[in-house]
Amino acid sequence: MRLLQETELELQVLTGGQLDAITLPSGDPLLLREAQEKLHVAEAAQRITAETQIAILNALPAHIALLDAQGVILTVNESWRRFASANMPQSADFFVGQNYLAVCEQSSGDCAEEAQDVANGIRRVLSGETPMFSLEYPCHSLTEQRWFRLMVTPLSLGTMTGAVVMHVNVTERLLAEEDLRKNQQRLELEARRLHESQAVAHVGSWETDLPTQAVTWTEETHRIFGTNPAAFSPTHESFLSFVHLDDRARVEAAFAESHGRPEAFSIEHRICLADGTIKHVEERWQAFNDDAGRPIRAVGTCQDITARKLVGEALRIRARQQEVIARIGFESMRATTLEDIFDFTTRVVAEALDVEMCKVLQLTPDGSRVRLVSGVGWQPGLIGVAMVEVDVASQAGFTLKSDGPIFVNDLRKETRFQAPPLLTQHNVLSGLSVTIPLLDKPWGVLGAHCRSVRNFDEQDAQFMQSVAALLAVVIERLAAQRSVSESERRMRDAQRIAHLGNWELAIAPNRLMWSDEAYRIFGVTPETFAGTYEAFLGLVHPEDRQAMDDAHRKALTGEGILEIDHRILLPGGEIRHVRERAELIHDENGQPVVLAGTVLDITVQVLAQKTHREAEERSSAIVASALDGIITLDHENRILEFNPSAESIFGWPKAEVLGRDMGEVIIPERLREGHRRGLARYLESGEKRVLDRRLELPAIRADGTEILIELNATRLGQSLPAQFTAFVRDITQQKRAEQALTETQERYRSLVESSHDVIYTVSPEGQILFINEASRSVLGYAPEELIGRHWVDLIPADRRQQDLAVFAKIIKSGDGHADYLAHVLHKDGSTVAIRANSRSLLDNEGKLIGRT
């Protein structure tokens, strides 16, 4: 043994430890002791490694099998065994010792094609043709649907000694992917429906990242702002650049105020598009905070309300202006002084045009200046005093030299004329002015001004010209004395906010889905509303229910888009007016699936239209109740309107004169041809405003009686063809009275002038107002030498105290008639004793106005 050990040690030294065994003479190998120990250790390590690997394989959820180079199953893990036992209890094809390739190649049935692909893939891996093969396949059971992923890799990277086959259950992933795909389709459908409903309602949506100010817009928002989504990336700053300059500060303040606030905000403002178009939009939004309470985003909608604004504003302005013209026309018939009608007109015009200032300027006799004779909104002390030069090309002067109205949008940029101090000291920026025309020359200017930039339009100009024409009628009718009266401006500030809701009706299940705004409009909640078409129809006003049902049925059958205005009855009894618009949406097969639409609360508009009708009715009532006759004519002189006063004046019933030529009805036959020629000349001249004013001419009644009338005619705005309104007053009795008075005055004047007695009149203050020619012979003075002097100057100084005492006694006694002795100075200085017979002169109210 010692020799054996020594020999073994020597061999180890000689071979450097590389010798593990020797061959005996008999040919049997002899394992040396150290090699034996190493072998024992290696076998133990390999056993531990194998056990570890088997444990790992069994712990994996995947089904794993090891194949040799021929495809025979060498081993399988626990997951493989359990799956095979549960799903193929009667078969041993998939266990150790079976050729996996043969099993796959011999497979038949539903998955035979996939099994053949698996066999081919395993062969390519075993031959080294591909480093990996994978395939997903279904493997459903009676109770559940399952999908697996097969992966085949080489057993080693060197020589092809076998392969690892692994089946991984990918059911959850595939189901999740399927759910994701369906959700994506649903989101895409909802997005499409949202875009469609927004396009129908002209409502876009947006979202702003508050820390970065980045903004996202929907397609409809881009359409509203006139931008291209592919070329324009909106930001908060670029959005503000679209906002009208006059509205920008208000919009910024409202948006900043909403940060950190829990409630929703809304605002109406204007936007200016790149092509210069101005739109009105309504913004509704709400800001949201993060967990720390910091504002992080704002979400909102943008609705194009331009059409609604224009229609509503046009109705409101037209109704208000028509009412104002009717009121001015009525007041012009009642006015007794220019001061009253000017004060009333400037006040109502300022209200109608929604401006701070309105004025009436009168041209001075020399035509060099205009005076502010009436107005509203001007500084105290200017009415009746302020003057504007005409020859320096002011707005008033430019207006007087022009044929039509003068618009000023921004006085700072005006190049046609200079801004007078009257406007600059009031910070005026814009205005509209028209001439007040008399028959042969301009009388003055009617103007309206405000302190902000504003674009007056043709409708405003027509309104102002109509008012100026009415003032011209009053000026012609009255012996005017200017007066001044200031009044506070009243501004009508009414905002119409339209509320819009979205809804979808799923046709097959009859399921009606409403937005929050739709619930608010109908006054119900999701908890109290059944969410069906029948439940909706129950909220429609009973009188409109059939019409709504007919429109709904036509929309479902594809006969057209649903568009209807109707009333709804809220649970509390309130009645609202709404406008429904909807379109039928089809699926990919062309089958109708959803009726998508909007509901708009138009209650305010309906009330506005009702107000407009009432205003027209009031205007008609004013015309009907006017004391003067009012006759409306067309451009061919045919009667269109004949009020009750006209019926009374001319004795014709309205029904018998409508459509007839006015000349044949009220003009005497001898004057008819001249009347026709005058009307023709006027139409050919292109005049836009007043036809004739304060014409006194003969007329004939229905019974043939000839009367004398005063006629004032004005053209109605810029109406084409031209229409006119004639204001008629019967002055027959007035003229007879004036003639009688003139004759009486002439007789009196002749008597006074021929008298040998001195006849004179003095004012209550004692000034001589009149004295006849007898003063020459009695006193030596010509009448013009005494008129204007105080009568006391004619009493001698030594007699003055005595005579004044007598006169004072007469006045104190209140006696209207007195006969007394007095003394007066002759022009030559001598004293003349006279017998005076004096009478008091009283006005209609008994007030003393002088003595004779």
Side-chain angles (χ1 to χ4, degrees):
M1 289 298 296
R2 186 182 305 113
L3 178 60
L4 180 60
Q5 291 175 353
E6 291 173 355
T7 302
E8 182 178 348
L9 180 61
E10 185 177 359
L11 287 173
Q12 290 290 337
V13 173
L14 290 176
T15 62
Q18 298 300 316
L19 185 63
D20 292 329
I22 61 175
T23 303
L24 299 178
S26 61
D28 295 327
L30 176 60
L31 192 63
L32 300 181
R33 180 181 56 80
E34 186 174 350
Q36 288 179 340
E37 292 176 354
K38 290 180 179 179
L39 180 59
H40 290 317
V41 172
E43 288 177 348
Q46 289 178 357
R47 185 169 58 254
I48 293 173
T49 300
E51 291 174 354
T52 301
Q53 291 176 342
I54 291 173
I56 293 173
L57 287 176
N58 289 332
L60 293 175
H63 312 151
I64 301 173
L66 303 182
L67 308 182
D68 63 11
Q70 286 71 43
V72 176
I73 300 175
L74 300 177
T75 184
V76 296
N77 71 343
E78 189 61 29
S79 295
W80 182 290
R81 294 189 187 92
R82 286 198 301 270
F83 184 81
S85 299
N87 292 276
M88 292 163 288
Q90 307 302 323
S91 173
D93 293 344
F94 294 96
F95 289 94
V96 175
Q98 299 298 320
N99 191 302
Y100 194 72
L101 292 175
V103 172
C104 292
E105 291 173 339
Q106 298 171 6
S107 178
S108 62
D110 295 338
C111 299
E113 186 175 350
E114 289 86 348
Q116 187 62 48
D117 291 340
V118 170
N120 294 335
I122 293 175
R123 290 189 185 280
R124 290 198 300 273
V125 172
L126 290 175
S127 65
E129 181 181 344
T130 180
M132 181 180 178
F133 170 75
S134 65
L135 175 72
E136 287 188 0
Y137 63 93
C139 184
H140 306 318
S141 69
L142 296 177
T143 59
E144 62 177 333
Q145 289 186 320
R146 299 174 302 191
W147 287 266
F148 288 87
R149 180 179 179 82
L150 168 71
M151 291 180 289
V152 182
T153 57
L155 191 59
S156 64
L157 298 178
T159 58
M160 295 296 109
T161 59
V164 178
V165 177
M166 180 167 58
H167 297 262
V168 180
N169 191 327
V170 294
T171 303
E172 291 185 3
R173 177 178 64 80
L174 289 181
L175 291 178
E177 291 177 351
E178 179 65 17
D179 289 342
L180 180 61
R181 185 185 64 81
K182 291 181 179 179
N183 287 335
Q184 185 67 27
Q185 290 178 344
R186 181 177 58 82
L187 291 175
E188 291 176 354
L189 177 60
E190 290 179 355
R192 180 165 58 84
R193 290 174 178 173
L194 175 62
H195 291 159
E196 291 171 347
S197 62
Q198 287 186 349
V200 171
H202 299 296
V203 177
S205 57
W206 53 265
E207 182 172 342
T208 300
D209 185 281
L210 297 179
T212 65
Q213 297 291 286
V215 178
T216 57
W217 283 355
T218 60
E219 293 179 5
E220 184 61 22
T221 307
H222 278 284
R223 281 196 292 270
I224 291 173
F225 281 79
T227 57
N228 183 356
F232 179 76
S233 298
T235 64
H236 185 65
E237 287 301 321
S238 62
F239 155 72
L240 288 176
S241 68
F242 281 98
V243 179
H244 194 284
L245 187 61
D246 293 344
D247 300 343
R248 194 170 297 169
R250 183 167 55 89
V251 171
E252 284 189 280
F255 189 70
E257 183 184 357
S258 68
H259 296 173
R261 298 279 293 273
E263 68 270 19
F265 282 72
S266 67
I267 190 172
E268 291 183 8
H269 64 86
R270 294 162 292 175
I271 58 174
C272 301
L273 274 57
D275 61 0
T277 302
I278 296 179
K279 290 184 177 180
H280 293 261
V281 297
E282 180 184 20
E283 306 273 358
R284 291 176 174 270
W285 76 95
Q286 184 172 356
F288 297 92
N289 301 337
D290 59 13
D291 294 339
R294 294 184 296 266
I296 57 171
R297 65 190 182 100
V299 180
T301 61
C302 176
Q303 181 182 2
D304 185 352
I305 60 172
T306 305
R308 189 190 77 199
K309 273 287 185 181
L310 292 178
V311 172
E313 187 66 13
L315 285 174
R316 184 180 67 85
I317 292 175
R318 189 179 305 114
R320 186 168 61 179
Q321 291 180 354
Q322 287 178 349
E323 182 179 357
V324 167
I325 291 175
R327 291 171 63 190
I328 294 175
F330 182 69
E331 291 297 327
S332 68
M333 295 297 101
R334 301 173 50 196
T336 58
T337 65
L338 283 179
E339 291 84 351
D340 291 341
I341 191 62
F342 285 163
D343 176 59
F344 175 80
T345 300
T346 54
R347 185 175 69 253
V348 297
V349 167
E351 293 174 1
L353 292 179
D354 196 16
V355 296
E356 296 92 339
M357 287 158 281
C358 183
K359 68 176 185 290
V360 174
L361 300 174
Q362 182 180 6
L363 193 65
T364 57
D366 61 2
S368 63
R369 295 180 295 175
V370 287
R371 183 190 304 273
L372 179 64
V373 297
S374 184
V376 58
W378 307 99
Q379 294 177 2
L382 293 180
I383 304 296
V385 176
M387 306 284 286
V388 176
E389 298 291 334
V390 171
D391 57 359
V392 295
S394 64
Q395 181 177 351
F398 194 81
T399 303
L400 289 169
K401 298 174 184 177
S402 303
D403 294 331
I406 300 303
F407 300 88
V408 177
N409 299 331
D410 190 340
L411 199 57
R412 298 168 298 186
K413 302 177 181 179
E414 186 57 59
T415 59
R416 296 171 295 176
F417 45 80
Q418 301 174 10
L422 180 63
L423 299 184
T424 56
Q425 71 187 22
H426 288 82
N427 300 318
V428 168
L429 288 183
S430 59
L432 171 63
S433 55
V434 297
T435 301
I436 302 175
L438 297 186
L439 188 61
D440 55 349
K441 63 179 180 180
W443 181 90
V445 173
L446 174 66
H449 306 277
C450 56
R451 296 188 178 96
S452 59
V453 175
R454 173 172 171 179
N455 294 322
F456 291 92
D457 56 24
E458 288 298 329
Q459 181 173 314
D460 297 328
Q462 292 177 12
F463 167 70
M464 289 282 283
Q465 288 176 323
S466 298
V467 174
L470 288 174
L471 292 181
V473 172
V474 177
I475 294 169
E476 284 289 333
R477 288 181 53 221
L478 301 176
Q481 295 179 351
R482 59 182 179 78
S483 176
V484 52
S485 174
E486 288 189 354
S487 61
E488 296 179 354
R489 176 181 61 86
R490 293 182 298 172
M491 182 182 294
R492 180 179 178 182
D493 185 17
Q495 286 186 335
R496 294 187 177 93
I497 301 176
H499 301 288
L500 183 71
N502 299 337
W503 55 266
E504 285 189 3
L505 177 63
I507 298 174
N510 188 25
R511 186 175 67 255
L512 183 60
M513 293 173 289
W514 276 356
S515 66
D516 292 342
E517 186 63 18
Y519 281 109
R520 193 206 63 77
I521 292 173
F522 282 86
V524 296
T525 64
E527 293 76 20
T528 60
F529 183 63
T532 64
Y533 172 73
E534 290 73 20
F536 152 74
L537 201 60
L539 297 175
V540 177
H541 194 284
E543 296 177 5
D544 299 345
R545 206 165 285 168
Q546 185 60 50
M548 179 67 229
D549 199 36
D550 292 343
H552 174 261
R553 185 171 55 256
K554 290 181 180 179
L556 291 182
T557 56
E559 296 182 39
I561 296 176
L562 186 149
E563 185 170 3
I564 185 174
D565 294 354
H566 65 87
R567 292 165 294 175
I568 58 175
L569 191 61
L570 274 61
E574 178 187 352
I575 295 177
R576 289 182 182 173
H577 297 260
V578 298
R579 175 168 296 156
E580 303 269 2
R581 285 180 56 89
E583 290 184 352
L584 195 60
I585 298 176
H586 300 77
D587 60 13
E588 57 273 12
N589 298 320
Q591 296 299 317
V593 291
V594 171
L595 187 65
T598 60
V599 55
L600 178 66
D601 187 344
I602 59 171
T603 305
V604 174
Q605 293 177 338
V606 172
L607 294 178
Q609 293 171 351
K610 179 182 178 183
T611 302
H612 172 61
R613 290 193 301 270
E614 292 174 350
E616 290 183 337
E617 293 171 358
R618 287 196 298 272
S619 299
S620 300
I622 291 173
V623 171
S625 62
L627 298 178
D628 287 351
I630 300 178
I631 305 173
T632 302
L633 309 172
D634 66 9
H635 65 292
E636 294 182 349
N637 208 34
R638 290 176 299 202
I639 298 175
L640 304 177
E641 179 57 51
F642 206 72
N643 76 336
S645 294
E647 292 179 324
S648 175
I649 292 173
F650 296 104
W652 286 101
K654 176 179 178 180
E656 295 185 23
V657 300
L658 291 183
R660 294 179 59 184
D661 188 291
M662 188 181 77
E664 298 177 357
V665 176
I666 68 172
I667 305 298
E669 187 173 357
R670 68 180 185 277
L671 301 177
R672 289 175 187 173
E673 186 59 32
H675 172 75
R676 291 192 186 95
R677 288 198 301 269
L679 179 63
R681 285 196 302 270
Y682 170 76
L683 292 174
E684 292 173 359
S685 68
E687 288 287 338
K688 300 300 183 184
R689 290 179 287 276
V690 177
L691 174 63
D692 289 313
R693 296 177 304 282
R694 202 179 180 186
L695 295 179
E696 295 181 0
L697 69 159
I700 190 167
R701 288 173 47 83
D703 59 6
T705 304
E706 188 167 302
I707 59 176
L708 188 65
I709 63 172
E710 179 183 273
L711 182 142
N712 301 270
T714 179
R715 179 167 178 168
L716 297 179
Q718 300 286 348
S719 57
L720 292 175
Q723 291 187 5
F724 308 92
T725 294
F727 300 90
V728 181
R729 177 173 294 177
D730 186 350
I731 58 173
T732 306
Q733 297 300 324
Q734 174 186 334
K735 285 299 179 180
R736 291 174 181 171
E738 290 176 355
Q739 181 64 29
L741 178 60
T742 299
E743 293 173 356
T744 301
Q745 290 175 340
E746 290 298 326
R747 287 195 300 271
Y748 174 74
R749 180 176 296 277
S750 175
L751 178 64
V752 169
E753 292 297 338
S754 62
S755 174
H756 295 291
D757 293 336
V758 176
I759 301 174
Y760 66 98
T761 303
V762 297
S763 69
E765 293 78 19
Q767 278 79 22
I768 297 175
L769 303 177
F770 168 79
I771 191 166
N772 68 344
E773 286 290 330
S775 64
R776 295 181 186 272
S777 60
V778 177
L779 302 176
Y781 289 98
E784 58 268 19
E785 295 180 90
L786 295 177
I787 292 175
R789 294 179 60 181
H790 201 285
W791 70 273
V792 176
D793 295 342
L794 297 178
I795 302 175
D798 58 343
R799 303 285 305 182
R800 188 168 297 174
Q801 184 175 359
Q802 179 180 351
D803 285 2
L804 287 177
V806 173
F807 185 74
K809 183 177 181 182
I810 294 172
I811 297 299
K812 185 177 181 181
S813 68
D815 191 1
H817 175 262
D819 191 350
Y820 59 95
L821 182 65
H823 298 81
V824 296
L825 284 172
H826 194 276
K827 186 176 181 180
D828 61 8
S830 61
T831 299
V832 179
I834 64 170
R835 170 65 63 182
N837 191 303
S838 174
R839 289 182 179 275
S840 298
L841 298 178
L842 306 178
D843 62 12
N844 292 335
E845 298 178 355
K847 182 180 178 181
L848 179 67
I849 59 174
R851 293 187 67 84
T852 298

PDB file of all heavy atoms in Angstrom, residues 19 28 119 225 359 428 451 528 575 598 630 671 700 735 764 768 835:
ATOM      1  N   LEU A  19      -3.203  13.308 -14.455  1.00  0.00           N
ATOM      2  CA  LEU A  19      -3.472  11.874 -14.611  1.00  0.00           C
ATOM      3  C   LEU A  19      -4.509  11.468 -13.594  1.00  0.00           C
ATOM      4  O   LEU A  19      -4.346  11.709 -12.402  1.00  0.00           O
ATOM      5  CB  LEU A  19      -2.187  11.057 -14.427  1.00  0.00           C
ATOM      6  CG  LEU A  19      -2.313   9.556 -14.679  1.00  0.00           C
ATOM      7  CD1 LEU A  19      -2.690   9.272 -16.130  1.00  0.00           C
ATOM      8  CD2 LEU A  19      -0.984   8.891 -14.341  1.00  0.00           C
ATOM      9  N   ASP A  28      -7.627  -3.322 -17.513  1.00  0.00           N
ATOM     10  CA  ASP A  28      -8.650  -2.658 -16.693  1.00  0.00           C
ATOM     11  C   ASP A  28      -8.123  -1.304 -16.218  1.00  0.00           C
ATOM     12  O   ASP A  28      -6.933  -1.194 -15.850  1.00  0.00           O
ATOM     13  CB  ASP A  28      -8.987  -3.534 -15.473  1.00  0.00           C
ATOM     14  CG  ASP A  28      -9.625  -4.843 -15.907  1.00  0.00           C
ATOM     15  OD1 ASP A  28     -10.345  -4.788 -16.951  1.00  0.00           O
ATOM     16  OD2 ASP A  28      -9.452  -5.836 -15.216  1.00  0.00           O
ATOM     17  N   ALA A 119     -44.431  20.796 -35.469  1.00  0.00           N
ATOM     18  CA  ALA A 119     -43.428  19.762 -35.792  1.00  0.00           C
ATOM     19  C   ALA A 119     -42.358  20.324 -36.703  1.00  0.00           C
ATOM     20  O   ALA A 119     -41.159  20.106 -36.499  1.00  0.00           O
ATOM     21  CB  ALA A 119     -44.127  18.565 -36.432  1.00  0.00           C
ATOM     22  N   PHE A 225     -62.440  78.720 -34.827  1.00  0.00           N
ATOM     23  CA  PHE A 225     -61.388  79.731 -34.874  1.00  0.00           C
ATOM     24  C   PHE A 225     -60.754  79.851 -36.256  1.00  0.00           C
ATOM     25  O   PHE A 225     -59.854  80.659 -36.454  1.00  0.00           O
ATOM     26  CB  PHE A 225     -60.309  79.402 -33.841  1.00  0.00           C
ATOM     27  CG  PHE A 225     -60.690  79.784 -32.436  1.00  0.00           C
ATOM     28  CD1 PHE A 225     -61.537  78.987 -31.687  1.00  0.00           C
ATOM     29  CD2 PHE A 225     -60.219  80.956 -31.872  1.00  0.00           C
ATOM     30  CE1 PHE A 225     -61.899  79.331 -30.397  1.00  0.00           C
ATOM     31  CE2 PHE A 225     -60.572  81.313 -30.587  1.00  0.00           C
ATOM     32  CZ  PHE A 225     -61.407  80.506 -29.840  1.00  0.00           C
ATOM     33  N   LYS A 359     -76.363 114.389 -29.166  1.00  0.00           N
ATOM     34  CA  LYS A 359     -76.433 115.852 -29.210  1.00  0.00           C
ATOM     35  C   LYS A 359     -77.231 116.318 -30.417  1.00  0.00           C
ATOM     36  O   LYS A 359     -77.360 115.602 -31.418  1.00  0.00           O
ATOM     37  CB  LYS A 359     -75.033 116.454 -29.277  1.00  0.00           C
ATOM     38  CG  LYS A 359     -74.284 116.190 -30.582  1.00  0.00           C
ATOM     39  CD  LYS A 359     -72.942 116.918 -30.606  1.00  0.00           C
ATOM     40  CE  LYS A 359     -72.222 116.769 -31.942  1.00  0.00           C
ATOM     41  NZ  LYS A 359     -71.718 115.439 -32.185  1.00  0.00           N
ATOM     42  N   VAL A 428     -64.177 111.070 -26.463  1.00  0.00           N
ATOM     43  CA  VAL A 428     -64.957 110.396 -27.490  1.00  0.00           C
ATOM     44  C   VAL A 428     -64.025 109.696 -28.473  1.00  0.00           C
ATOM     45  O   VAL A 428     -63.019 110.265 -28.905  1.00  0.00           O
ATOM     46  CB  VAL A 428     -65.859 111.392 -28.224  1.00  0.00           C
ATOM     47  CG1 VAL A 428     -66.456 110.758 -29.471  1.00  0.00           C
ATOM     48  CG2 VAL A 428     -66.966 111.870 -27.302  1.00  0.00           C
ATOM     49  N   ARG A 451     -67.374 106.447 -25.894  1.00  0.00           N
ATOM     50  CA  ARG A 451     -65.971 106.561 -25.502  1.00  0.00           C
ATOM     51  C   ARG A 451     -65.150 105.332 -25.857  1.00  0.00           C
ATOM     52  O   ARG A 451     -63.990 105.242 -25.479  1.00  0.00           O
ATOM     53  CB  ARG A 451     -65.876 106.817 -24.003  1.00  0.00           C
ATOM     54  CG  ARG A 451     -66.493 108.143 -23.569  1.00  0.00           C
ATOM     55  CD  ARG A 451     -66.195 108.438 -22.103  1.00  0.00           C
ATOM     56  NE  ARG A 451     -66.739 109.713 -21.702  1.00  0.00           N
ATOM     57  CZ  ARG A 451     -67.906 109.890 -21.111  1.00  0.00           C
ATOM     58  NH1 ARG A 451     -68.668 108.825 -20.859  1.00  0.00           N
ATOM     59  NH2 ARG A 451     -68.331 111.080 -20.778  1.00  0.00           N
ATOM     60  N   THR A 528     -84.274  60.611 -11.522  1.00  0.00           N
ATOM     61  CA  THR A 528     -85.726  60.718 -11.712  1.00  0.00           C
ATOM     62  C   THR A 528     -86.155  60.519 -13.157  1.00  0.00           C
ATOM     63  O   THR A 528     -87.352  60.474 -13.431  1.00  0.00           O
ATOM     64  CB  THR A 528     -86.210  62.095 -11.232  1.00  0.00           C
ATOM     65  OG1 THR A 528     -85.542  63.134 -11.997  1.00  0.00           O
ATOM     66  CG2 THR A 528     -85.899  62.306  -9.760  1.00  0.00           C
ATOM     67  N   ILE A 575     -92.641  76.491 -18.282  1.00  0.00           N
ATOM     68  CA  ILE A 575     -92.620  76.167 -19.706  1.00  0.00           C
ATOM     69  C   ILE A 575     -91.373  76.792 -20.328  1.00  0.00           C
ATOM     70  O   ILE A 575     -91.114  77.982 -20.146  1.00  0.00           O
ATOM     71  CB  ILE A 575     -93.882  76.680 -20.418  1.00  0.00           C
ATOM     72  CG1 ILE A 575     -95.127  75.951 -19.884  1.00  0.00           C
ATOM     73  CG2 ILE A 575     -93.774  76.491 -21.929  1.00  0.00           C
ATOM     74  CD1 ILE A 575     -96.425  76.444 -20.479  1.00  0.00           C
ATOM     75  N   THR A 598     -78.744  67.534 -30.424  1.00  0.00           N
ATOM     76  CA  THR A 598     -78.563  68.573 -29.420  1.00  0.00           C
ATOM     77  C   THR A 598     -79.907  69.173 -29.079  1.00  0.00           C
ATOM     78  O   THR A 598     -80.855  69.124 -29.870  1.00  0.00           O
ATOM     79  CB  THR A 598     -77.633  69.682 -29.929  1.00  0.00           C
ATOM     80  OG1 THR A 598     -78.209  70.272 -31.105  1.00  0.00           O
ATOM     81  CG2 THR A 598     -76.252  69.144 -30.245  1.00  0.00           C
ATOM     82  N   ILE A 630    -102.434 110.394 -40.352  1.00  0.00           N
ATOM     83  CA  ILE A 630    -101.176 109.789 -40.803  1.00  0.00           C
ATOM     84  C   ILE A 630    -101.497 108.903 -41.993  1.00  0.00           C
ATOM     85  O   ILE A 630    -102.291 107.966 -41.898  1.00  0.00           O
ATOM     86  CB  ILE A 630    -100.505 108.982 -39.682  1.00  0.00           C
ATOM     87  CG1 ILE A 630    -100.186 109.887 -38.492  1.00  0.00           C
ATOM     88  CG2 ILE A 630     -99.239 108.303 -40.189  1.00  0.00           C
ATOM     89  CD1 ILE A 630     -99.562 109.165 -37.322  1.00  0.00           C
ATOM     90  N   LEU A 671    -105.387 120.496 -58.851  1.00  0.00           N
ATOM     91  CA  LEU A 671    -104.013 120.448 -58.354  1.00  0.00           C
ATOM     92  C   LEU A 671    -103.367 119.081 -58.554  1.00  0.00           C
ATOM     93  O   LEU A 671    -102.186 118.903 -58.212  1.00  0.00           O
ATOM     94  CB  LEU A 671    -103.996 120.779 -56.856  1.00  0.00           C
ATOM     95  CG  LEU A 671    -104.550 122.142 -56.451  1.00  0.00           C
ATOM     96  CD1 LEU A 671    -104.527 122.279 -54.934  1.00  0.00           C
ATOM     97  CD2 LEU A 671    -103.745 123.264 -57.092  1.00  0.00           C
ATOM     98  N   ILE A 700    -109.689 117.973 -50.533  1.00  0.00           N
ATOM     99  CA  ILE A 700    -111.123 117.764 -50.731  1.00  0.00           C
ATOM    100  C   ILE A 700    -111.564 116.557 -49.930  1.00  0.00           C
ATOM    101  O   ILE A 700    -110.874 115.547 -49.856  1.00  0.00           O
ATOM    102  CB  ILE A 700    -111.448 117.581 -52.236  1.00  0.00           C
ATOM    103  CG1 ILE A 700    -112.959 117.600 -52.455  1.00  0.00           C
ATOM    104  CG2 ILE A 700    -110.800 116.331 -52.791  1.00  0.00           C
ATOM    105  CD1 ILE A 700    -113.333 117.739 -53.919  1.00  0.00           C
ATOM    106  N   LYS A 735    -107.190 128.861 -39.989  1.00  0.00           N
ATOM    107  CA  LYS A 735    -106.922 129.909 -40.961  1.00  0.00           C
ATOM    108  C   LYS A 735    -108.032 130.965 -40.954  1.00  0.00           C
ATOM    109  O   LYS A 735    -107.781 132.170 -41.091  1.00  0.00           O
ATOM    110  CB  LYS A 735    -106.773 129.306 -42.356  1.00  0.00           C
ATOM    111  CG  LYS A 735    -105.441 128.595 -42.562  1.00  0.00           C
ATOM    112  CD  LYS A 735    -104.290 129.589 -42.394  1.00  0.00           C
ATOM    113  CE  LYS A 735    -102.944 128.913 -42.565  1.00  0.00           C
ATOM    114  NZ  LYS A 735    -101.840 129.896 -42.399  1.00  0.00           N
ATOM    115  N   PRO A 764     -94.828 146.627 -17.770  1.00  0.00           N
ATOM    116  CA  PRO A 764     -94.966 146.733 -16.302  1.00  0.00           C
ATOM    117  C   PRO A 764     -93.808 147.491 -15.667  1.00  0.00           C
ATOM    118  O   PRO A 764     -93.972 148.073 -14.592  1.00  0.00           O
ATOM    119  CB  PRO A 764     -95.000 145.270 -15.858  1.00  0.00           C
ATOM    120  CG  PRO A 764     -95.516 144.533 -17.029  1.00  0.00           C
ATOM    121  CD  PRO A 764     -94.963 145.255 -18.213  1.00  0.00           C
ATOM    122  N   ILE A 768     -91.711 152.527 -22.670  1.00  0.00           N
ATOM    123  CA  ILE A 768     -92.703 152.791 -23.704  1.00  0.00           C
ATOM    124  C   ILE A 768     -92.488 151.772 -24.813  1.00  0.00           C
ATOM    125  O   ILE A 768     -91.407 151.699 -25.418  1.00  0.00           O
ATOM    126  CB  ILE A 768     -92.581 154.235 -24.256  1.00  0.00           C
ATOM    127  CG1 ILE A 768     -92.854 155.232 -23.129  1.00  0.00           C
ATOM    128  CG2 ILE A 768     -93.544 154.453 -25.425  1.00  0.00           C
ATOM    129  CD1 ILE A 768     -92.634 156.688 -23.538  1.00  0.00           C
ATOM    130  N   ARG A 835    -105.145 165.086 -19.937  1.00  0.00           N
ATOM    131  CA  ARG A 835    -106.107 164.216 -19.279  1.00  0.00           C
ATOM    132  C   ARG A 835    -105.787 162.793 -19.740  1.00  0.00           C
ATOM    133  O   ARG A 835    -105.878 162.492 -20.920  1.00  0.00           O
ATOM    134  CB  ARG A 835    -107.528 164.604 -19.685  1.00  0.00           C
ATOM    135  CG  ARG A 835    -108.593 163.611 -19.254  1.00  0.00           C
ATOM    136  CD  ARG A 835    -108.734 163.522 -17.722  1.00  0.00           C
ATOM    137  NE  ARG A 835    -109.168 164.793 -17.166  1.00  0.00           N
ATOM    138  CZ  ARG A 835    -109.342 165.029 -15.875  1.00  0.00           C
ATOM    139  NH1 ARG A 835    -109.065 164.058 -14.997  1.00  0.00           N
ATOM    140  NH2 ARG A 835    -109.741 166.212 -15.438  1.00  0.00           N
TER     141      ARG A 835
END
